[in-house]
Amino acid sequence: MDTSALPDTEHLAERARTALGRCGVGRLREPIGAAGVARTPITGQILFPVEFDTAASAERAVTAAHDTFTSAWRDTPAPVRGRLVHRFGELLREHKEDLAALVTIEAGKIHSEALGEVQEMIDICDLAVGLSRQLYGRTMPSERPGHRLMETWHPLGVVGVITAFNFPVAVWSWNTCVALVCGDTVVWKPSELTPLTALACHGLLMRAAEDVGAPADVHRLVLGDREVGEALVEDPRVALLSATGSTAMGRAVAPRVAARMGRYLLELGGNNAAVVAPSADLDLVVRGSVFAAAGTAGQRCTSLRRLIVHEDVADEVARRIVDAYKQLRDRIGDPFEESTLVGPLVGERAHTAMGAALARARADGGEVLVGGARWWEESAADAYYVEPAVVRMPGQTEVVREETFAPILYVLGYRTLEEAVELHNGVPQGLSSAIFTQDQAEAERFLSAAGSDCGIVNVNIGTSGAEIGGAFGGEKDTGGGRESGSDSWKAYMRRATNTVNYGGGLPLAQGVRFL
Ligand code: NAD
């Protein structure tokens, strides 16, 4: 394999320009003040300059979103708000290819996964439109005669959405589609690595707003790095800050939002594991693990990073996974190529982190069974293509307990289920988990309160690839937030408890007498 198989940067820039134009971008962005760039990990080179925001322009965006919230959006009936999201969903269906191309260009995701990410946006639109007629409150029997007790859900205000590079469009849409039907307005600060996908999403949403007569400032996009994000963190008009990214980012953001008594919703790093029991169907284990560990070049928050295998089957599982990884070697490269399964890492930092983690694992007594090499170091010096690695570890050392955002799968052994669960839960993060077993009692123990401590717990499938119908998120260092389906919408609204007296008298609760 040689680098002539990679597309050149000019071709990618042209492709990005075409996709952006089709999504209505070009006439959207006035000069603002900060010079940024759009880059592609496919070649590692700059595509073209992009105007970034400053803290001052981000503050103006919050003002606009806040004014629209108070003057229009919170009083627009929820089913009418749903029409905006419905129209947006139609536009996403029309522009699925355009957005997916931008995701591949900016995040380096293979095209099938990029299409899947846009499909996830379409799915959340469907869910949010249905939700716009189902923002249910409860009624409770009052203890007082002639009284009614109920709760009402109201919009919160401006929702600040900060997102990571690796799901550049889906995570924003989970937040935004739900927030919009809940009556909130949104200011979005995407990753500085993915400004083009953000411009395209914003362009399509603005077109939808125009089509249904919704105010344009229901959504504002601010581009830039941490400093621009901090403007949202600090602004008391941002009622909810929903931030997705590393645990380090969450640790920086959470106390600052809490200090101003704001709400936050955090979706942070994972260190996801699967337990493989002796009864497991090993075909499922191999297929499930290889997709979860090497898919998206190990750059999903739910990527499989630890395989905790019963000693009776550990050698066989390791051998079969290594065989499967060897076949991946022919499938590394241009993420637009249909045969490619492993695209590039996002950049140099990710590659350095991978090399450092492998060195530490070796120093801890780990054996690299396969992978780890970088490709095209000379001919594509700015791009970082790596062979996904599998490392057999003698124990769960410090490096295994950390999230390295790259394709490294650590294999650990266990003897009893208790030991497996202890290893499984013995990391700071708590996002996604799985058990492969044919033993129902064992599966139930893993799903129980004394089993996995994660927000996502699966049986006989891998750790990645969640659907939007369930609540998504995790515990411990993953931040505790929940987004997407189920009752996650409640995080985007405030609850009022109402007592209505229709009886004429004024009985007090708890039998209190006064006057
Ligand atoms: P990152 O933490 O470097 O950046 C994420 C976002 O936060 C970016 O937009 C960045 O500009 C912003 N940011 C960083 N510091 C900030 C600060 N102090 N104030 C305000 N904004 C700040 O993460 P990344 O490298 O883009 O993404 C990878 C990480 O994200 C991994 O740890 C991965 O597990 C995690 N992730 C989690 C989920 C989830 O749902 N749990 C989903 C995707 C990614």
Side-chain angles (χ1 to χ4, degrees):
M1 184 96 55
D2 63 55
T3 39
S4 60
L6 294 179
D8 67 59
T9 307
E10 197 36 56
H11 166 78
L12 293 169
E14 200 42 50
R15 198 161 174 177
R17 269 195 203 97
T18 306
L20 283 166
R22 287 168 50 86
C23 294
V25 183
R27 55 191 166 82
L28 280 171
R29 218 151 163 84
E30 305 296 328
I32 298 167
V37 292
R39 206 180 267 280
T40 176
I42 299 175
T43 61
Q45 289 168 358
I46 290 174
L47 295 164
F48 39 78
V50 179
E51 198 68 35
F52 274 11
D53 281 84
T54 60
S57 68
E59 202 255 322
R60 289 196 294 276
V62 175
T63 302
H66 189 257
D67 289 351
T68 299
F69 173 73
T70 50
S71 66
W73 199 239
R74 68 180 172 189
D75 296 321
T76 303
V80 176
R81 300 192 297 243
R83 279 186 217 147
L84 168 61
V85 175
H86 182 262
R87 177 68 189 130
F88 181 52
E90 287 177 341
L91 291 172
L92 287 175
R93 285 174 170 87
E94 224 175 274
H95 291 280
K96 188 171 176 181
E97 262 300 332
D98 296 321
L99 265 187
L102 289 167
V103 170
T104 297
I105 290 170
E106 278 197 313
K109 246 178 220 198
I110 62 168
H111 203 48
S112 148
E113 289 189 52
L115 285 166
E117 187 174 345
V118 182
Q119 183 58 45
E120 220 173 297
M121 304 175 78
I122 295 168
D123 295 343
I124 198 76
C125 285
D126 289 351
L127 184 134
V129 172
L131 197 57
S132 71
R133 290 182 186 270
Q134 299 176 79
L135 302 170
Y136 300 131
R138 293 166 188 258
T139 59
M140 289 71 74
S142 170
E143 67 186 62
R144 286 170 280 188
H147 283 58
R148 186 156 69 86
L149 191 54
M150 63 177 188
E151 62 186 19
T152 315
W153 290 89
H154 294 301
L156 261 187
V158 178
V159 176
V161 178
I162 293 177
T163 51
F165 82 86
N166 67 320
F167 271 91
V169 294
V171 170
W172 164 75
S173 70
W174 297 350
N175 280 282
T176 300
C177 295
V178 172
L180 288 175
V181 299
C182 287
D184 304 318
T185 55
V186 174
V187 181
W188 179 23
K189 208 296 283 173
S191 165
E192 52 275 42
L193 300 179
T194 54
L196 302 183
T197 48
L199 282 164
C201 290
H202 180 69
L204 291 175
L205 184 56
M206 288 303 95
R207 196 187 294 171
E210 204 175 312
D211 290 352
V212 301
D217 287 334
V218 291
H219 187 263
R220 291 291 297 250
L221 172 67
V222 293
L223 296 180
D225 54 21
R226 167 197 184 120
E227 207 181 302
V228 177
E230 281 168 348
L232 304 186
V233 171
E234 297 293 349
D235 198 314
R237 295 168 300 173
V238 175
L240 169 69
L241 186 87
S242 175
T244 300
S246 58
T247 296
M249 179 276 289
R251 280 197 206 294
V253 157
R256 294 167 75 171
V257 181
R260 61 170 174 82
M261 296 294 179
R263 293 191 193 185
Y264 54 76
L265 193 170
L266 299 176
E267 298 283 352
L268 309 175
N271 187 354
N272 317 294
V275 173
V276 181
S279 66
D281 174 337
L282 296 190
D283 288 335
L284 279 189
V285 171
V286 174
R287 280 172 48 214
S289 304
V290 174
F291 170 67
T296 328
Q299 299 170 109
R300 286 192 187 213
C301 50
T302 50
S303 286
L304 180 67
R305 310 208 178 277
R306 298 174 296 141
L307 202 58
I308 302 169
V309 193
H310 193 276
E311 295 288 4
D312 286 355
V313 289
D315 287 342
E316 186 179 353
V317 167
R319 183 182 52 73
R320 289 178 64 171
I321 288 188
V322 167
D323 284 349
Y325 267 56
K326 284 182 179 157
Q327 289 169 33
L328 287 181
R329 279 188 185 143
D330 299 328
R331 317 284 292 270
I332 299 170
D334 175 9
F336 276 114
E337 268 305 316
E338 226 172 284
S339 59
T340 299
L341 295 179
V342 183
L345 292 179
V346 73
E348 183 179 8
R349 240 178 17 169
H351 177 251
T352 307
M354 182 171 177
L358 289 175
R360 283 170 68 196
R362 279 197 193 93
D364 290 344
E367 184 193 351
V368 179
L369 302 178
V370 66
R374 179 178 168 198
W375 286 27
W376 305 319
E377 194 166 349
E378 308 272 294
S379 52
D382 301 320
Y384 296 87
Y385 291 86
V386 292
E387 290 178 13
V390 178
V391 187
R392 186 95 181 245
M393 290 300 292
Q396 188 155 269
T397 60
E398 206 43 45
V399 70
V400 181
R401 297 178 73 250
E402 292 169 13
E403 179 196 49
T404 300
F405 216 56
I408 303 176
L409 178 63
Y410 299 109
V411 180
L412 303 158
Y414 79 90
R415 275 266 153 234
T416 63
L417 186 64
E418 287 65 34
E419 195 191 335
V421 170
E422 202 174 307
L423 278 171
H424 178 277
N425 293 348
V427 297
Q429 312 81 355
L431 181 52
S432 186
S433 58
I435 187 167
F436 287 90
T437 180
Q438 302 295 325
D439 178 336
Q440 193 186 350
E442 208 172 43
E444 292 291 345
R445 279 161 69 197
F446 192 69
L447 295 171
S448 77
S452 162
D453 62 1
C454 288
I456 297 168
V457 191
N458 298 335
V459 177
N460 290 330
I461 63 164
T463 51
S464 64
E467 298 178 25
I468 57 100
F472 183 93
E475 305 300 333
K476 304 193 292 186
D477 276 7
T478 302
R482 291 295 186 280
E483 286 175 357
S484 202
S486 186
D487 64 352
S488 306
W489 60 271
K490 290 180 176 171
Y492 301 83
M493 301 198 84
R494 64 182 173 86
R495 180 196 329 234
T497 301
N498 315 126
T499 308
V500 180
N501 176 3
Y502 60 89
L506 203 63
L508 300 179
Q510 297 91 40
V512 173
R513 290 174 180 279
F514 201 82
L515 281 183

